[in-house]
Amino acid sequence: GRPLHSELTYCEGEMGFLAMICTKQADTGGDIILVDGYMLEQKMREEHPAHHETLTTSHVLYSYVSESMELKAERAVFALDRRNKVQTVAFDEQHRMRWTGGPRSGGTFLKAWCCVANMVYQPELVCSKALSSGDILVIDARRVLWGQAPWQGGPTECVMERDYLERNQILSRYRSLRSSGPPAWTEENPQRGQP
């Protein structure tokens, strides 16, 4: 399995979308686990305001290293806009490197990090979905944390192919499709657009 995490925390700039296709279904297990990061942020704001403040003002260094590349980025766990509304959630224990603030505030940050790390798995925040071969899932990396339950009981594991999509390209295409009118085919009018 994979623990719950935000995707692309170690990339500079705006996080985009993650597209996943299930190419091989597990015998049992391997469900995709999702958490709405905006709900997580709201829950932290309401139940742990001091920790919430720490996670919005402190920056975490995230890093990814492979044979061919090294990526690093610093970002807050909860990035807020000027109106104090959450814009991005960046939680990734696997790629979190170290605390980049001073030693006096390090204990405060670690308490806040442990609080959110425990909260992320609360049942009221978690949604689980079994995927079949051929299923496609697209998630907003700014908002959704994802993970995968362990597969069990057989030799077949769940195989997911992944690709990253740039946010501006997806939103531009979406706006273009919306402005061009109704689709050529709809359930109400299956003959429209047919030869």
Side-chain angles (χ1 to χ4, degrees), residues 27-43:
D27 289 342
T28 57
D31 292 3
I32 296 297
I33 305 165
L34 303 171
V35 168
D36 182 341
Y38 289 11
M39 288 176 60
L40 174 66
E41 184 271 340
Q42 186 64 39
K43 194 167 175 65

Side-chain angles (χ1 to χ4, degrees), residues 5-9 15 35-42 44 52 55 62 75-80 85-92 113 116 120 140-146:
H5 67 285
S6 303
E7 197 70 23
L8 305 172
T9 54
M15 300 181 326
V35 168
D36 182 341
Y38 289 11
M39 288 176 60
L40 174 66
E41 184 271 340
Q42 186 64 39
M44 283 292 294
H52 179 271
L55 296 172
Y62 295 101
R75 54 178 84 238
V77 174
F78 301 123
L80 307 179
K85 302 280 187 195
V86 66
Q87 293 297 299
T88 304
V89 177
F91 176 82
D92 185 355
W113 180 270
V116 76
V120 78
D140 183 345
R142 291 187 324 170
R143 180 174 183 157
V144 178
L145 287 72
W146 79 279

Side-chain angles (χ1 to χ4, degrees):
R2 293 182 179 94
L4 280 164
H5 67 285
S6 303
E7 197 70 23
L8 305 172
T9 54
Y10 43 77
C11 292
E12 292 289 344
E14 191 171 31
M15 300 181 326
F17 291 87
L18 171 66
M20 297 184 283
I21 183 168
C22 179
T23 58
K24 190 180 204 183
Q25 186 176 354
D27 289 342
T28 57
D31 292 3
I32 296 297
I33 305 165
L34 303 171
V35 168
D36 182 341
Y38 289 11
M39 288 176 60
L40 174 66
E41 184 271 340
Q42 186 64 39
K43 194 167 175 65
M44 283 292 294
R45 184 187 297 253
E46 292 169 359
E47 296 180 15
H48 303 282
H51 291 328
H52 179 271
E53 176 70 19
T54 299
L55 296 172
T56 60
T57 57
S58 304
H59 283 108
V60 180
L61 177 64
Y62 295 101
S63 175
Y64 172 81
V65 179
S66 71
E67 290 181 14
S68 60
M69 71 177 80
E70 182 175 347
L71 301 170
K72 290 183 181 180
E74 265 189 52
R75 54 178 84 238
V77 174
F78 301 123
L80 307 179
D81 65 13
R82 283 180 256 133
R83 297 170 303 169
N84 209 29
K85 302 280 187 195
V86 66
Q87 293 297 299
T88 304
V89 177
F91 176 82
D92 185 355
E93 183 65 26
Q94 180 181 358
H95 295 104
R96 179 176 64 93
M97 292 303 295
R98 65 179 186 278
W99 166 243
T100 58
R104 289 186 187 191
S105 55
T108 302
F109 168 77
L110 288 176
K111 287 178 186 174
W113 180 270
C114 289
C115 181
V116 76
N118 288 324
M119 184 175 282
V120 78
Y121 286 97
Q122 290 185 355
E124 64 269 20
L125 294 176
V126 174
C127 170
S128 180
K129 175 71 177 139
L131 296 182
S132 300
S133 291
D135 285 352
I136 297 173
L137 177 67
V138 178
I139 63 171
D140 183 345
R142 291 187 324 170
R143 180 174 183 157
V144 178
L145 287 72
W146 79 279
Q148 191 172 18
W151 41 88
Q152 307 149 348
T156 306
E157 65 183 56
C158 181
V159 178
M160 301 291 294
E161 298 293 332
R162 299 180 292 174
D163 198 3
Y164 302 102
L165 310 168
E166 289 188 32
R167 177 168 218 78
N168 290 339
Q169 290 176 328
I170 297 296
L171 296 178
S172 174
R173 182 67 177 142
Y174 172 74
R175 285 189 293 273
S176 173
L177 289 171
R178 286 200 55 182
S179 67
S180 66
W185 179 91
T186 64
E187 288 186 30
E188 295 80 28
N189 188 5
Q191 301 304 317
R192 185 172 176 204
Q194 299 288 325

